[in-house]
Amino acid sequence: MSAASPAADAADTPAATPDAPPGRRFEPDLRSMTRINLRPIASPMPLGFFTIAIASVMTGCLQLGILDETARGAVALTVLPAFALQLLVSFLAFGARDVIAATLMGVFAGSWLPYSLIMLSGAADGLQVLGVFNLALLCFGALMTAVTRPKRALWLVLAVSLPRWAATGLAGVTGADWLTRTSGALGLLVALVAMYTAFALMLEDMRSEQVLPIGRSGPAHLAVEGDLSVQLRNLERQAGVRRTL
């Protein structure tokens, strides 16, 4: 085995940068050596939309008077699992690098928990507090609709949720019965739209093609219809790859 000569070692050593501080070594371009491993997961969105649908049916039936007022506690217990399920959906959506879906599902999860706790506890002025809370959700939803248009499935669920949050909020603040009934009817509409969206997404995932129209456009359309090069575009600037958020 021959020993390498000092001259050869000097030739293999990268030239020092003139302005480099003493003792600091600068690495060559790392792009050719970088490997990024992604963990494929199934889409959690059908679970999120089905959860919205079921919880909206229960709360809507209570507001419409289909379920008696004495059933408030039972409805609250039925809706409470929606918090855990949608929190799980939000967590998985963050892992799939979909910040819009993750944020939306996380806020939906946060909306079911206070509803269930207030209904179970029978807290004083609970309906008024929920009214103000729903008006705050209305502001959130209005902002989210501005960024979710390419994701028509999310946008449509938000679009039908906005008037429901408005009606629920005003009903809680004013105590008007007709607003409560209006909110219940809108809740059933939200459930219908969410259930259709969940079913369409499940069919699409099972058959690897769009079966029922969802209406994706722009980046959302390219994410499904584009090739691998589209998916890897600007990957170095994605959260989890870049150094800071």
Side-chain angles (χ1 to χ4, degrees), residues 97-146:
R97 299 179 300 141
D98 193 333
V99 66
I100 293 177
T103 301
L104 183 63
M105 288 297 166
V107 172
F108 267 112
S111 69
W112 299 124
L113 182 60
Y115 174 87
S116 299
L117 294 179
I118 288 176
M119 287 298 182
L120 280 173
S121 64
D125 298 326
L127 293 179
Q128 290 184 355
V129 172
L130 284 177
V132 176
F133 180 70
N134 277 276
L135 291 177
L137 282 177
L138 176 64
C139 297
F140 159 80
L143 293 174
M144 286 293 290
T145 54

Side-chain angles (χ1 to χ4, degrees), residues 17-87:
T17 305
D19 298 331
R24 183 173 180 182
R25 181 182 177 186
F26 282 81
E27 297 290 346
D29 189 356
L30 300 178
R31 285 177 293 183
S32 61
M33 296 182 276
T34 301
R35 298 294 182 269
I36 298 175
N37 296 319
L38 300 179
R39 181 183 60 183
I41 63 172
S43 173
M45 298 310 294
L47 173 61
F49 286 124
F50 273 130
T51 303
I52 292 174
I54 295 171
S56 297
V57 166
M58 299 307 300
T59 56
C61 288
L62 182 63
Q63 290 173 314
L64 286 171
I66 298 174
L67 298 174
D68 194 76
E69 287 294 316
T70 56
R72 280 190 177 188
V75 170
L77 287 173
T78 305
V79 170
L80 186 58
F83 161 72
L85 290 174
Q86 291 204 277
L87 191 62

Side-chain angles (χ1 to χ4, degrees), residues 104 108 138 141-142 144-146 148-149 151-166 186 189-190 193:
L104 183 63
F108 267 112
L138 176 64
M144 286 293 290
T145 54
T148 56
R149 185 171 292 274
K151 294 174 172 287
R152 293 296 173 85
L154 291 176
W155 182 86
L156 189 57
V157 173
L158 266 176
V160 295
S161 296
L162 290 179
R164 195 204 181 185
W165 286 333
L186 290 171
L189 178 61
V190 171
V193 173

Side-chain angles (χ1 to χ4, degrees), residues 155-233:
W155 182 86
L156 189 57
V157 173
L158 266 176
V160 295
S161 296
L162 290 179
R164 195 204 181 185
W165 286 333
T168 304
L170 293 175
V173 172
T174 64
D177 289 338
W178 70 272
L179 283 172
T180 301
R181 292 191 295 271
T182 301
S183 176
L186 290 171
L188 297 183
L189 178 61
V190 171
L192 184 64
V193 173
M195 197 165 292
Y196 167 82
T197 304
F199 183 64
L201 289 174
M202 288 186 68
L203 282 179
E204 181 181 80
D205 188 70
M206 292 177 64
R207 301 188 184 181
S208 300
E209 62 180 0
Q210 181 174 291
V211 180
L212 297 175
I214 298 178
R216 292 187 184 92
S217 62
H221 176 75
L222 290 176
V224 176
E225 302 294 338
D227 56 18
L228 185 60
S229 63
V230 175
Q231 310 305 314
L232 300 179
R233 187 177 299 164

